[in-house]
């Protein structure tokens, strides 16, 4: 009998230890970490705001460039069995930021992270999502690289084309910045009821219509802007193929194609009355601002007395701050998906709207397995 009692006590103690170890393992497995994959201080500001809202500390890691510009990532804590969120904002050095994200994801994958979710507010190469001449769809290539590196999910914001989500083999949550920009219009633009939403090109008309309908404002569309570099340009395919000796095109009438007329855009026109109104131009990306400056001049000529530009991603490359400062544009409002503190110092017309709240909430909901529908309420398909 004593032997049976001792055996029972030993077995119970062993079972208790096993159950405690399993519960500890489950607790650690249910945890999550938030890392920043940027090597520059300016790019980690958004990650710090997100972690402050979540009430967690930023994961311990070191991301740096070797003397030969190779990217190195050292993760300084255990990530085994956890959900890992990598926040990667894209600075001007786009390719370096992409390599930092890929190396960080692969490092976490090899360290047995359960799920690796990339938080990429501005998705790079999103403009290269269509086949152009003899080019390539670079956005599809980047999607394949991220999947190969180990990412299992992506949170992004206002993709340049919504069809980009189809390039990925894993879920993509494409959040919207429009609620924050609409709130800015209502709170910060005096007499916004006298405003009109403007699409600077027919391709942006659907987004502008979505803003106009929710603000109960009118809509104007600009047409006839200068031909952009993505349009039809001479690339050699318009030239006839070389003919071999003894052959003429008259011998092959079936191969003759009808002559294609060259596309020619009319002078810039504005469809809609902007006279005596506040013109608000909306778009998803503002990078090279020449088109926006030209649009502002036309709107001023048509009688608009104030001009605002609202965009999600403020890349503001090259001479953008100087051109904005010298233009008829009164204010440029962008979100903090891309760091642009230097540009703001150069041009006080640039204002920033913080979107860390919705990114933090998306992280929380994904980790807890909650529905994301709440973040898309009152969001239209064309937004």
């Amino acid at each position: 009998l004593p032997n049976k009692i001792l055996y029972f006590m030993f077995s119970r103690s062993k079972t208790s230890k096993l159950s405690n170890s399993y519960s500890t393992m489950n607790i650690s497995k249910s945890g999550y970490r938030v890392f920043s994959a940027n090597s520059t201080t300016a790019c980690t500001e958004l990650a710090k705001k997100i972690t402050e809202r979540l009430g967690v500390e930023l994961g311990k890691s070191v991301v740096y460039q070797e003397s030969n510009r190779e990217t190195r990532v050292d993760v300084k804590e255990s990530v085994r069995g956890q959900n890992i969120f990598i926040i990667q904002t894209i600075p001007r050095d786009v390719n370096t930021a992409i390599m930092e994200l890929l190396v960080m994801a692969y490092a976490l994958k090899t360290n047995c992270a359960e799920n690796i979710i990339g938080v990429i507010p501005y998705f790079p190469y999103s403009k290269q999502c269509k086949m152009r001449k003899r080019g390539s769809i670079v956005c599809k290539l980047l999607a394949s690289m991220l999947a190969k590196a180990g990412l299992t999910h992506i949170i992004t914001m206002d993709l340049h084309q919504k069809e980009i989500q189809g390039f990925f083999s894993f879920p993509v949550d494409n959040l919207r910045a429009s609620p924050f920009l609409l709130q800015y219009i209502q709170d910060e633009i005096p007499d916004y009821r006298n405003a009109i939403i403007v699409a600077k090109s027919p391709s942006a008309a659907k987004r502008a219509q979505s803003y106009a309908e929710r603000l109960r404002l009118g809509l104007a569309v600009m047409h006839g802007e200068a031909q952009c570099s993505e349009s039809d340009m001479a690339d050699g395919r318009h030239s006839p193929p070389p003919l071999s000796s003894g052959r003429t095109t008259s011998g092959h009438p079936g191969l003759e194609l009808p002559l294609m007329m060259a596309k020619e855009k009319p002078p810039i026109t504005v469809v809609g009355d902007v006279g005596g109104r506040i013109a608000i131009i909306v778009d998803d990306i503002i990078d090279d601002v020449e088109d926006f400056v030209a649009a502002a001049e036309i709107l001023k000529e048509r009688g608009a007395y104030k001009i605002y530009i609202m965009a999600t991603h403020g890349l503001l490359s090259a001479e953008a701050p100087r051109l904005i400062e010298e233009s008829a544009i009164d204010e440029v409002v962008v979100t903090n998906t891309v760091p642009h503190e230097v540009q703001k110092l150069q041009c006080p017309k640039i204002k920033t709207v913080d979107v860390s709240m919705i990114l933090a909430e998306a992280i929380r909901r994904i980790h807890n397995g909650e529905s994301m529908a709440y973040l898309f309420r009152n969001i239209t398909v064309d937004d």
Side-chain angles (χ1 to χ4, degrees):
L1 182 63
N3 291 336
K4 288 185 178 180
I5 294 173
L6 288 173
Y7 175 76
F8 174 74
M9 293 175 61
F10 174 76
S11 301
R12 189 171 182 178
S13 174
K14 188 175 181 181
T15 305
S16 176
K17 288 180 180 179
L18 285 173
S19 62
N20 289 336
S21 64
Y22 278 126
S23 62
T24 304
M25 186 167 61
N26 288 333
I27 290 172
S28 64
K29 189 174 182 179
S30 65
Y32 73 99
R33 294 285 186 274
V34 180
F35 287 87
S36 173
N38 289 112
S39 59
T40 55
T41 307
C43 295
T44 60
E45 292 301 320
L46 180 59
K48 291 178 180 177
K49 289 184 178 181
I50 292 173
T51 52
E52 286 175 4
R53 291 185 179 276
L54 290 170
V56 300
E57 293 183 357
L58 201 59
K60 298 175 182 178
S61 64
V62 178
V63 183
Y64 60 98
Q65 311 297 320
E66 298 277 12
S67 57
N68 61 353
R69 303 299 297 168
E70 287 186 359
T71 299
R72 183 176 290 275
V73 173
D74 292 328
V75 180
K76 299 296 185 180
E77 58 183 295
S78 175
V79 297
R80 182 179 295 273
Q82 298 187 26
N83 292 330
I84 305 299
F85 295 85
I86 309 174
I87 301 174
Q88 181 69 331
T89 51
I90 307 298
R92 290 191 179 186
D93 192 355
V94 176
N95 295 329
T96 298
I98 291 172
M99 278 306 301
E100 289 172 348
L101 177 59
L102 292 171
V103 176
M104 170 73 83
Y106 191 68
L108 295 168
K109 177 184 177 182
T110 54
N111 282 279
C112 302
E114 180 73 15
N115 294 298
I116 303 172
I117 300 97
V119 183
I120 315 171
Y122 166 66
F123 195 79
Y125 287 98
S126 58
K127 284 190 174 182
Q128 298 189 48
C129 61
K130 295 181 180 179
M131 192 66 179
R132 300 288 185 183
K133 308 294 183 177
R134 294 188 177 93
S136 61
I137 307 176
V138 183
C139 194
K140 176 66 171 68
L141 171 64
L142 181 55
S144 302
M145 293 167 63
L146 292 173
K148 193 69 175 177
L151 287 180
T152 58
H153 197 141
I154 276 184
I155 303 171
T156 187
M157 181 169 282
D158 282 338
L159 287 171
H160 187 57
Q161 297 289 339
K162 297 175 183 63
E163 294 77 10
I164 291 175
Q165 296 176 77
F167 293 162
F168 294 87
S169 57
F170 48 77
V172 177
D173 285 309
N174 183 26
L175 304 177
R176 306 295 197 276
S178 58
F180 298 91
L181 297 176
L182 291 169
Q183 189 66 41
Y184 184 93
I185 292 173
Q186 293 174 327
D187 295 344
E188 302 296 333
I189 298 181
D191 195 22
Y192 81 92
R193 290 292 182 187
N194 189 37
I196 185 169
I197 304 298
V198 180
K200 73 176 182 68
S201 65
S203 61
K206 288 185 177 181
R207 181 187 300 271
Q209 182 182 359
S210 174
Y211 276 67
E213 289 175 350
R214 280 182 284 175
L215 290 169
R216 311 295 192 270
L217 299 177
L219 174 67
V221 180
M222 304 188 71
H223 176 59
E225 70 275 16
Q227 187 174 354
C228 65
S229 59
E230 293 181 346
S231 301
D232 296 331
M233 296 178 63
D235 68 344
R237 295 195 293 183
H238 296 286
S239 58
L243 299 176
S244 58
S245 58
R247 288 188 173 185
T248 61
T249 55
S250 59
H252 303 277
L255 296 179
E256 293 182 0
L257 298 175
L259 182 64
M260 299 294 291
M261 295 184 63
K263 184 167 68 173
E264 183 177 348
K265 290 187 177 181
I268 295 179
T269 57
V270 180
V271 181
D273 183 17
V274 298
R277 312 285 285 276
I278 299 172
I280 303 176
I281 304 174
V282 297
D283 212 335
D284 61 328
I285 299 174
I286 176 169
D287 190 1
D288 298 322
V289 299
E290 285 83 357
D291 290 346
F292 291 94
V293 171
E297 292 176 357
I298 295 295
L299 293 171
K300 277 287 187 181
E301 293 175 3
R302 297 299 176 92
Y305 69 91
K306 272 193 176 181
I307 298 169
Y308 291 80
I309 295 176
M310 317 289 293
T312 304
H313 310 296
L315 306 186
L316 302 170
S317 302
E319 297 296 319
R322 180 183 61 81
L323 293 174
I324 293 171
E325 186 66 25
E326 297 173 356
S327 71
I329 299 170
D330 291 281
E331 199 167 278
V332 175
V333 183
V334 294
T335 71
N336 57 343
T337 56
V338 177
H340 51 265
E341 294 303 318
V342 175
Q343 290 89 329
K344 287 179 68 175
L345 294 175
Q346 299 171 350
C347 177
K349 291 182 179 181
I350 301 172
K351 308 297 181 183
T352 306
V353 175
D354 182 23
V355 293
S356 62
M357 179 193 301
I358 192 171
L359 293 170
E361 181 63 15
I363 291 173
R364 190 191 68 79
R365 286 176 175 269
I366 288 174
H367 171 65
N368 293 331
E370 299 177 18
S371 172
M372 297 286 284
Y374 179 78
L375 303 182
F376 294 94
R377 69 194 188 284
N378 301 325
I379 300 294
T380 63
V381 176
D382 298 323
D383 195 0

